[in-house]
Amino acid sequence: MQHHSRRPLLDWVKRGHLAPAQLPEALRLADLPPAPARWQVLFDRLLLLLGCLCLGAGLIFFVAFNWQALGRLPRLGLVELPLLAMLLVLWRVQLSDGARQGLLCLCALNLGALLALVGQTYQTGADPWQLFALWAMLLLPWALLGKSPLLWILSWLLAQLALVLYWRLGLFTLFFSFDEEGLAWCLTLLNALLWGGLWSLPARYKVMPAYLPALMAGLGVTLLALLALFDAASSWIWPLWLLWLGAAYGCWHHSFITGLAMGCLSVIVVLLAALGKWMEPDVNGFLLLSLVAIGLSVAASRWLQQQRSRHAANQ
């Protein structure tokens, strides 16, 4: 079994479960510290992704800088032709997984640039939220066919952004006025449903990490708690907030520690907001709130480390 730190192995040595003489061999089996080959793979992927992002941004900036000197067809051609070339490479060339993911990411950026270019050139009159919603929907078949978690995550983020932009227009009037509380409810419920669906699927069918929508749902619950604290939402939201904190702690044994960290962050934010509301602070009060935030963050960090060590020792 591999661990991500030395602490569990050192705890085993202290408890007598592992002989001190066997510690170097245990560290080697756990790949601690990581071998140079693993660092090379990590840097290769990071540089590949950064290169794709730079290429996509360079293409967009080139068209924007030469906007006045280019006609409609040259603008569209400069964006469409690279997109067609990349799709042809993905279709005809056998690429490694890292290269394929990077090229798909570049195609996704190019597609967004093409949608924005069409809207700007022909003045379609579409709202910004429609651009991001269409971009997210067009990425779905690419993510499905390319089996790319990166594109699934990008599509999910674009959908969140489209929802927020749509909320700013104030057009949503189904069950409640689409104010801040309505936005928080939408973010919470939609992401909670997505998290539940991903969590219940077998591992081979999970298209993106399940903890990402869980974190977004936690963000929505925290926003609802803050609104309730300042009397901008119903007070019965507090049981929902406590239920989410309990779920974050209960699911920790089956998922990533990020959910537990998000729960700690939510508690810190709500406590600081409640303290600020009670104090109505001046300059000295804000200094006190900063010191309280530092203290709570340190306490939460130490508690998270203890929880992780205890969980690793029980495996």
Side-chain angles (χ1 to χ4, degrees):
M1 178 180 299
Q2 294 187 359
H3 297 276
H4 299 289
S5 68
R6 299 171 182 263
R7 188 180 298 273
L9 296 178
L10 296 177
D11 289 341
W12 288 355
V13 172
K14 292 179 181 179
R15 298 177 183 180
H17 300 315
L18 182 67
Q22 296 177 336
L23 180 59
E25 180 65 17
L27 290 173
R28 186 188 66 82
L29 293 175
D31 202 8
L32 293 172
R38 293 186 60 188
W39 285 109
Q40 183 178 358
V41 171
L42 174 62
F43 287 134
D44 285 345
R45 291 182 178 178
L46 289 178
L47 291 175
L48 178 62
L49 181 60
L50 180 60
C52 292
L53 293 176
C54 290
L55 286 174
L59 180 62
I60 296 172
F61 292 151
F62 179 83
V63 174
F65 183 79
N66 298 279
W67 185 266
Q68 300 298 331
L70 296 173
R72 292 183 177 181
L73 292 180
R75 293 171 195 166
L76 294 174
L78 282 174
V79 179
E80 289 178 344
L81 292 178
L83 180 59
L84 293 175
M86 288 183 289
L87 292 176
L88 183 62
V89 170
L90 287 170
W91 178 40
R92 302 296 296 178
V93 179
Q94 187 71 24
L95 300 173
S96 63
D97 183 67
R100 182 170 56 84
Q101 297 295 334
L103 198 55
L104 283 171
C105 178
L106 184 55
C107 288
L109 294 177
N110 204 327
L111 177 63
L114 178 60
L115 293 175
L117 181 61
V118 170
Q120 182 67 26
T121 301
Y122 295 99
Q123 296 296 323
T124 59
D127 292 316
W129 75 268
Q130 294 174 313
L131 168 65
F132 291 103
L134 180 61
W135 190 4
M137 288 189 295
L138 291 178
L139 286 181
L140 291 179
W142 290 13
L144 181 61
L145 295 175
K147 300 178 180 180
S148 174
L150 186 60
L151 291 192
W152 282 109
I153 294 174
L154 180 58
S155 180
W156 169 71
L157 291 175
L158 291 173
Q160 310 288 315
L161 182 57
L163 178 63
V164 173
L165 293 175
Y166 187 64
W167 161 73
R168 293 182 62 184
L169 297 177
L171 300 177
F172 196 92
T173 56
L174 285 181
F175 304 105
F176 39 70
S177 60
F178 205 32
D179 51 6
E180 289 82 0
E181 184 181 0
L183 176 64
W185 274 113
C186 285
L187 290 175
T188 301
L189 296 177
L190 294 177
N191 284 283
L193 290 175
L194 179 59
W195 170 76
L198 291 174
W199 187 72
S200 61
L201 288 175
R204 65 179 182 273
Y205 294 121
K206 291 182 179 179
V207 294
M208 59 180 285
Y211 64 84
L212 290 178
L215 293 181
M216 187 60 71
L219 178 63
V221 172
T222 304
L223 179 58
L224 286 171
L226 292 176
L227 292 174
L229 182 64
F230 291 96
D231 302 323
S234 303
S235 59
W236 59 270
I237 290 174
W238 291 111
L240 174 65
W241 182 65
L242 294 175
L243 180 63
W244 176 76
L245 292 179
Y249 183 79
C251 294
W252 147 236
H253 299 286
H254 305 284
S255 59
F256 198 53
I257 195 174
T258 308
L260 201 59
M262 182 64 188
C264 292
L265 180 60
S266 178
V267 171
I268 292 174
V269 170
V270 172
L271 288 179
L272 289 176
L275 186 60
K277 180 183 178 182
W278 174 70
M279 292 175 54
E280 297 183 357
D282 52 7
V283 175
N284 295 327
F286 282 115
L287 177 59
L288 177 60
L289 286 178
S290 300
L291 295 176
V292 172
I294 294 174
L296 290 175
S297 300
V298 172
S301 176
R302 292 181 64 86
W303 182 74
L304 288 172
Q305 290 178 355
Q306 293 174 359
Q307 292 296 315
R308 184 174 182 177
S309 300
R310 186 179 305 172
H311 178 73
N314 293 332
Q315 296 300 308

